Amino acid sequence: MSLFEDATATPSRSTDPRRSGGSRRFSVGVWALVIALVALLVLSFLPTGFVIQRQGPVVNTLGSAENTDGEEVPLISVRGAETYPTAGALDLTTVQIAGNRERTPSWFELAMAWFDPSQAVLPIDQVFPAGTTTEQRNEENAALMVDSQKEAAAAALTQLGYEVRSHVGVGALTEDSPSSGILEVGDEIVSADGTPIGDTAQLRSVINDGGGDPVELVIRRGDAERTVTVTPVRSETADGPVWIIGITTARDFDFPIDVTIQLDRIGGPSAGQMFALGIIDTLTPGELNGGEQVAGTGTIDSAGTIGPIGGIRQKLYGALDAGADYFLAPQRNCDEVVGHIPGDLRVIPVATLDDSLAALDAIRTGEGVDDLPVCTVG
């Protein structure tokens, strides 16, 4: 080989330091990518300890719903009183939970939900307390829905001037209850130490005022009344010691007319306000909402007090997507509403059924809408 040829020969790949360094960097990059993909795959199979809360179905209380037989029936029906045509919508809003203790969302699903303002990532213990199965939670929510319907009917009929009698019954006996063998599930508690009992708060007050002394109860079992005596036991709570008789109560009402609400596969107490408004609209001439689409949420008791609920932000998105222009929100949820109202949805805070009716009157007439309250922080 000539000197010229030897001097101009190209070095082999193995001896080029630049190519060698690039090759090593490429290898490191490939391995980093492989490790990241493997880690992501492993994470997708690990339980996360979180669930996702997102908007659920929106249901018009003035419309119809599918019953357990798959038939479309009026969501609110009344017998024993004249009813009137309605228009527009009084929508109840709901939330759905993605995941449970048996199957939690993947980390990828959680990351997607985290950056979606219409969804919320919640600790699983907040939704499914330790020791509570999905079936038990569903049963509890179904019971809360039944109670909310009764309270809504009582609030609506009382608002319309009907006489509604409430009474407290025995829903269940706790373990080692001092009432075992004395009270039975289904007993109605008529009075305690001579005080007529119309709600659980009254019963609790009488028991605690006695400071542990035996409590004389008049109960109604079937068609007969009887007097029994129960000695309370002391119980420690986060708010201090209390006296209890070891029962959970079930509140019920005697209604002068028959109001039936048929809504399956939705649980919880948060539809109470919209049920009450739907009942009032059904029983009064004209259109309570002026034919507009109004959505809302909130618990309600027989006195017409509207209470806070969970998932308010997801319900706002559900209402907007369903086409609502107005949203009646519990006043006590306002801190969660401010800064999180989607689109041009008009959110109106309410604390009582009277507040809700006043808001609907403004929407119906178009007078005073701009003067309706808005949510503020604090």
Side-chain angles (χ1 to χ4, degrees):
M1 183 180 294
S2 68
L3 180 62
F4 177 79
E5 291 174 331
D6 185 60
T8 59
T10 302
S12 66
R13 291 177 181 269
S14 61
T15 60
D16 187 336
R18 292 172 300 174
R19 290 183 178 272
S20 178
S23 177
R24 283 195 299 270
R25 287 193 296 271
F26 177 77
S27 297
V28 170
V30 168
W31 278 108
L33 178 60
V34 169
I35 292 171
L37 290 174
V38 170
L40 184 61
L41 181 63
V42 170
L43 282 174
S44 67
F45 289 100
L46 291 178
T48 61
F50 297 91
V51 293
I52 298 170
Q53 184 172 261
R54 55 173 64 119
Q55 64 193 62
V58 174
V59 182
N60 181 12
T61 60
L62 304 178
S64 61
E66 192 175 279
N67 65 13
T68 53
D69 297 325
E71 302 172 334
E72 285 289 324
V73 296
L75 192 144
I76 296 174
S77 57
V78 177
R79 290 186 300 174
E82 186 175 1
T83 60
Y84 301 87
T86 59
L90 290 171
D91 289 331
L92 66 87
T93 51
T94 67
V95 293
Q96 292 179 328
I97 299 296
N100 52 43
R101 289 196 176 275
E102 291 74 40
R103 192 273 179 192
T104 58
S106 69
W107 288 103
F108 177 75
E109 291 172 312
L110 291 175
M112 295 293 289
W114 187 267
F115 292 102
D116 184 345
S118 70
Q119 301 187 60
V121 176
L122 305 175
I124 196 168
D125 288 340
Q126 184 176 327
V127 182
F128 297 94
T132 301
T133 66
T134 302
E135 182 179 359
Q136 288 172 327
R137 180 177 179 274
N138 291 340
E139 289 174 353
E140 291 172 0
N141 279 335
L144 289 171
M145 170 61 80
V146 172
D147 288 343
S148 76
Q149 293 173 358
K150 292 177 181 178
E151 296 282 347
L157 295 183
T158 300
Q159 181 75 31
L160 293 175
Y162 288 93
E163 183 177 348
V164 177
R165 190 179 81 87
S166 67
H167 49 86
V168 175
V170 179
L173 274 68
T174 61
E175 187 176 356
D176 299 325
S177 170
S179 296
S180 294
I182 303 172
L183 298 178
E184 297 179 1
V185 173
D187 287 347
E188 177 190 341
I189 300 176
V190 178
S191 66
D193 283 346
T195 300
I197 299 300
D199 58 47
T200 303
Q202 286 179 311
L203 177 61
R204 188 180 296 119
S205 177
V206 171
I207 294 170
N208 279 282
D209 286 347
D213 291 339
V215 179
E216 184 179 85
L217 303 174
V218 176
I219 64 171
R220 182 176 291 113
R221 184 175 298 165
D223 295 328
E225 286 190 1
R226 65 183 68 185
T227 301
V228 299
T229 300
V230 179
T231 301
V233 296
R234 183 184 173 103
S235 177
E236 298 296 331
T237 72
D239 297 323
V242 296
W243 295 94
I244 62 172
I245 60 173
I247 65 171
T248 57
T249 58
R251 193 176 187 203
D252 212 342
F253 302 90
D254 292 330
F255 295 122
I257 61 176
D258 183 15
V259 178
T260 302
I261 300 175
Q262 300 192 72
L263 185 61
D264 298 317
R265 295 184 292 277
I266 292 178
S270 66
Q273 173 184 197
M274 303 313 291
F275 283 146
L277 294 174
I279 293 168
I280 292 173
D281 202 1
T282 301
L283 286 169
T284 53
E287 300 161 356
L288 199 62
N289 53 10
E292 300 283 349
Q293 184 170 356
V294 180
T297 187
T299 64
I300 198 167
D301 63 20
S302 60
T305 302
I306 295 170
I309 50 79
I312 185 72
R313 296 178 188 175
Q314 288 70 51
K315 292 177 179 179
L316 293 175
Y317 278 93
L320 182 70
D321 290 347
D325 298 309
Y326 303 93
F327 191 97
L328 303 177
Q331 190 175 65
R332 289 170 61 188
N333 280 120
C334 270
D335 285 354
E336 301 171 77
V337 169
V338 174
H340 299 280
I341 300 175
D344 56 358
L345 187 67
R346 175 69 184 273
V347 178
I348 305 165
V350 291
T352 66
L353 187 55
D354 284 337
D355 292 343
S356 303
L357 292 171
L360 289 176
D361 186 60
I363 293 170
R364 178 181 59 82
T365 62
E367 299 177 2
V369 173
D370 293 338
D371 297 326
L372 290 172
V374 296
C375 274
T376 58
V377 177

